């Protein structure tokens, strides 16, 4: 469990979700989360759509600066919003257990390719 600031607590349920749903099922759940947060017209998560839908994440008390920091953390192409891929990458990066497992899977994959 990691503190995100003031009263926010993040419990990492992602590893158990992957275990129960499989990687494809987990990815589909991340995509569902993305669609719940995205701006329906632009099909990306904008600051405004994140602020409007932050209650879905239990983050209704976050300041504008904190929400903007979340967007910047995942914005890989510098357009001030998150597309589906950026959102999924960010969600995996925020899970310490999934990051560790992904490093192991990557190393294992490299070993198999070399052999």
């Amino acid at each position: 469990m990691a503190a995100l600031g003031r009263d926010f607590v993040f419990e990492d349920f992602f590893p158990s979700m992957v275990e129960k749903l499989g990687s494809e099922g987990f990815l589909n759940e991340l995509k569902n989360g993305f669609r719940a947060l995205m701006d329906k017209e632009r099909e990306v998560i904008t600051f405004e759509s994140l602020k409007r839908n932050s209650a879905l994440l239990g983050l209704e008390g976050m300041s504008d600066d904190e929400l903007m920091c979340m967007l910047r953390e995942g914005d890989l192409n510098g357009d001030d919003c998150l597309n589906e891929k950026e959102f999924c990458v960010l969600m995996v990066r925020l899970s310490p257990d999934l990051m560790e497992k992904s490093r192991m899977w990557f190393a294992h994959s490299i070993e198999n390719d070399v052999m």
Side-chain angles (χ1 to χ4, degrees):
M1 191 174 352
L4 289 177
R6 299 181 311 244
D7 299 320
F8 302 105
V9 175
F10 172 72
E11 179 123 14
D12 191 0
F13 292 108
F14 287 173
S16 60
M17 289 176 67
V18 171
E19 191 174 307
K20 290 180 182 177
L21 301 172
S23 58
E24 190 172 325
F26 176 70
L27 188 56
N28 286 336
E29 286 302 312
L30 286 180
K31 290 177 180 182
N32 288 338
F34 171 80
R35 285 190 289 279
L37 296 172
M38 76 177 189
D39 177 294
K40 305 303 182 216
E41 291 178 17
R42 294 182 57 198
E43 297 185 344
V44 293
I45 297 174
T46 63
F47 169 76
E48 293 79 16
S49 70
L50 182 59
K51 185 173 182 170
R52 182 174 50 253
N53 297 307
S54 61
L56 295 172
L57 301 172
L59 304 176
E60 56 272 345
M62 290 187 80
S63 71
D64 288 356
D65 285 341
E66 290 168 318
L67 292 173
M68 201 61 208
C69 283
M70 287 177 68
L71 270 180
R72 284 190 196 114
E73 178 73 23
D75 181 16
L76 301 175
N77 62 7
D79 62 357
D80 292 327
C81 54
L82 300 178
N83 60 37
E84 186 178 77
K85 180 179 179 181
E86 290 171 324
F87 175 78
C88 290
V89 167
L90 177 62
M91 293 298 98
V92 171
R93 283 181 40 218
L94 291 175
S95 171
D97 289 341
L98 284 184
M99 282 302 295
E100 183 57 35
K101 287 180 182 173
S102 67
R103 285 185 192 103
M104 290 184 322
W105 295 327
F106 181 72
H108 181 70
S109 174
I110 295 294
E111 286 175 18
N112 287 341
D113 284 350
V114 170
M115 297 178 142

